[in-house]
Amino acid sequence: MSAIFIETPVWVWPLFLLLFAVGLRARHERLVPSALFYGLPLLGLSALNSVLGVPAGLFIWLVFAVAYAAGGYGGYAVQGRWILGREGTRLRLAGESLTLTMMMLVFGANFVSGVLEAVSSQVYSSAAFHIIFAAALGLSSGSFAGRALRVWKAV
């Protein structure tokens, strides 16, 4: 088990700490540039790359698309509650835990995928893993896109 953490590329841990710190910061009321939200859907591009890397059939894209749409709808719906106001090109946002949760979901899904690819090709190649992986990345990526759309409409 400790070999998993020892053999993980060194850049993974600073990335984890950065994502965790950003997520913790989002739990408090804050003033952020509205342009920051427009970059969040770029996480969806990293998710597409991750899903492309999984040895799965076309069904995985249907799972990803449905989860992305559900995440987008949910992200759009909840983001309105957290927009407290606008000050120039910045938004005042209420604290929330969704950002932390979704960032950790993206990180965790990719980390587990890398571990499984290295230590258990049988699980990594299974349909169950493909479905869970695509659903997790689709849901989180979609939530970021939905939230960005809601911010765009609010500004």
Side-chain angles (χ1 to χ4, degrees):
M1 181 67 149
S2 65
I4 291 171
F5 295 101
I6 292 170
E7 293 181 26
T8 299
V10 70
W11 60 266
V12 170
W13 304 119
L15 175 63
F16 170 77
L17 291 174
L18 174 67
L19 293 173
F20 192 70
V22 169
L24 286 177
R25 172 72 179 106
R27 297 185 69 204
H28 303 282
E29 185 175 312
R30 64 214 183 273
L31 194 62
V32 298
S34 56
L36 177 70
F37 271 87
Y38 306 136
L40 288 176
L42 294 176
L43 289 174
L45 294 178
S46 72
L48 285 175
N49 188 42
S50 296
V51 173
L52 277 170
V54 173
L58 290 178
F59 180 71
I60 194 99
W61 293 107
L62 176 62
V63 171
F64 182 83
V66 169
Y68 190 92
Y73 178 80
Y76 183 89
V78 299
Q79 185 62 42
R81 296 182 226 166
W82 299 323
I83 300 173
L84 301 176
R86 192 174 86 176
E87 298 176 20
T89 60
R90 295 176 169 244
L91 294 171
R92 179 158 304 282
L93 300 174
E96 42 78 21
S97 295
L98 185 63
T99 300
L100 175 62
T101 303
M102 291 298 112
M103 285 184 169
M104 291 299 99
L105 183 58
V106 170
F107 180 87
N110 283 300
F111 185 80
V112 168
S113 175
V115 169
L116 288 177
E117 184 178 21
V119 301
S120 181
S121 61
Q122 184 178 8
V123 174
Y124 180 73
S125 300
S126 72
F129 171 73
H130 296 161
I131 290 168
I132 292 167
F133 183 69
L137 289 181
L139 183 68
S140 56
S141 299
S143 76
F144 288 127
R147 293 174 67 189
L149 181 61
R150 183 59 179 245
V151 165
W152 178 70
K153 288 188 84 175
V155 173

